[in-house]
Amino acid sequence: MMDRLLGQYPALQALDTADLEQALRHEAQLMQAPAGAVLFEEGKPCRGFPMVLEGCVRVARGSPGGRTLELYRVTPGEICVVSTSCLFGQVTLMAHGQTLAATELVLLSPAGFDRLVRHESFRRFVFGTFGDRLADLMALAEAVAFQRLDQRLAQALLGHGSTLRSTHQALADELGTVREIVSRLLSRFERAGWVGLGRERIDVLDSAALRALANGEPASAGKGSAAV
């Protein structure tokens, strides 16, 4: 576990070896979870500081109506800022985390996190990553507040090659809306000749038009308009 952690989280290499070994031996547990497992829940106390060795964790915030908005994903070598802010502020979790694939992680207890964060190198790593995530969340807030949903959907379809394998529900969860709206927009995109729809797959037929829409620029309407 020590070797794998050092490989994924190089900031740990600057820590005193004995101190790190003590923290891992007494204040950490190795966890394995299948895809779809809920690792932590919104409004609950934080169990510790997760360090992902393999897999991916989707962190999202829910609404009373059952809608969710993806905030970010945690992959090996990254940190969860929701868990970090909970540990620093001693407040309940502001979002929930669910695995997107089979995931292996080391969960450092709150006491173990306090022990390691006393070291400047680890503290610098945590706050540096915290700042990067905050910038991402600011960009997300700006997109939600100022961009139309069709623009955000066009952005979500780009960057995956010619085919995106995803369900309409998964896209809705990513965008913080409901499946019916995503399906309606995708149908408009299909009528415009920008995408082709299949079972749990979306073929990108006109990436230039999608990119123009994502950037808020005029796009060729094709067979129909994709504006809302």
Side-chain angles (χ1 to χ4, degrees):
M1 182 171 67
M2 171 84 82
D3 292 340
R4 295 180 67 194
L5 268 179
L6 292 177
Q8 297 291 357
Y9 295 86
L12 296 175
Q13 296 177 11
L15 273 62
D16 178 75
T17 303
D19 204 19
L20 178 59
E21 287 179 347
Q22 282 291 102
L24 294 180
R25 181 174 294 114
H26 301 292
E27 301 291 350
Q29 58 176 316
L30 183 65
M31 298 178 59
Q32 295 178 329
V38 176
L39 297 182
F40 54 86
E41 298 182 64
E42 195 170 328
K44 298 292 182 66
C46 183
R47 295 168 52 202
F49 181 77
M51 292 181 284
V52 179
L53 298 175
E54 183 178 339
C56 181
V57 180
R58 175 179 180 266
V59 180
R61 186 171 173 85
S63 73
R67 293 167 56 182
T68 62
L69 176 62
E70 180 176 311
L71 302 178
Y72 56 87
R73 298 182 181 188
V74 184
T75 57
E78 298 179 332
I79 70 169
C80 175
V81 296
V82 166
S83 300
T84 306
S85 62
C86 178
L87 293 170
F88 276 131
Q90 298 183 346
V91 294
T92 56
L93 292 159
M94 296 178 289
H96 63 269
Q98 187 174 25
T99 57
L100 292 178
T103 299
E104 188 173 21
L105 58 91
V106 173
L107 185 66
L108 193 63
S109 72
F113 176 75
D114 288 341
R115 181 171 187 166
L116 293 190
V117 86
R118 296 191 191 109
H119 295 266
E120 182 181 357
S121 61
F122 186 72
R123 188 168 62 248
R124 191 184 300 274
F125 163 70
V126 169
F127 279 114
T129 308
F130 200 99
D132 292 339
R133 285 291 193 197
L134 181 59
D136 292 341
L137 291 175
M138 292 286 285
L140 175 62
E142 181 179 2
V144 172
F146 302 118
Q147 287 186 338
R148 298 183 325 190
L149 186 58
D150 58 346
Q151 286 181 266
R152 295 171 54 215
L153 177 57
Q155 289 175 341
L157 297 178
L158 294 169
H160 305 282
S162 60
T163 299
L164 170 64
R165 297 197 175 275
S166 177
T167 64
H168 295 191
Q169 184 62 60
L171 284 170
D173 290 343
E174 181 179 343
L175 298 173
T177 185
V178 294
R179 180 185 57 79
E180 291 77 9
I181 293 178
V182 167
S183 296
R184 188 170 68 225
L185 286 172
L186 286 173
S187 294
R188 292 185 182 182
F189 288 3
E190 185 177 42
R191 291 196 301 271
W194 299 348
V195 302
L197 302 180
R199 182 175 177 80
E200 296 189 3
R201 64 177 286 166
I202 301 168
D203 296 316
V204 176
L205 306 179
D206 192 341
S207 59
L210 289 174
R211 191 169 295 107
L213 176 61
N215 293 333
E217 302 170 359
S220 172
K223 299 177 183 178
S225 173
V228 294

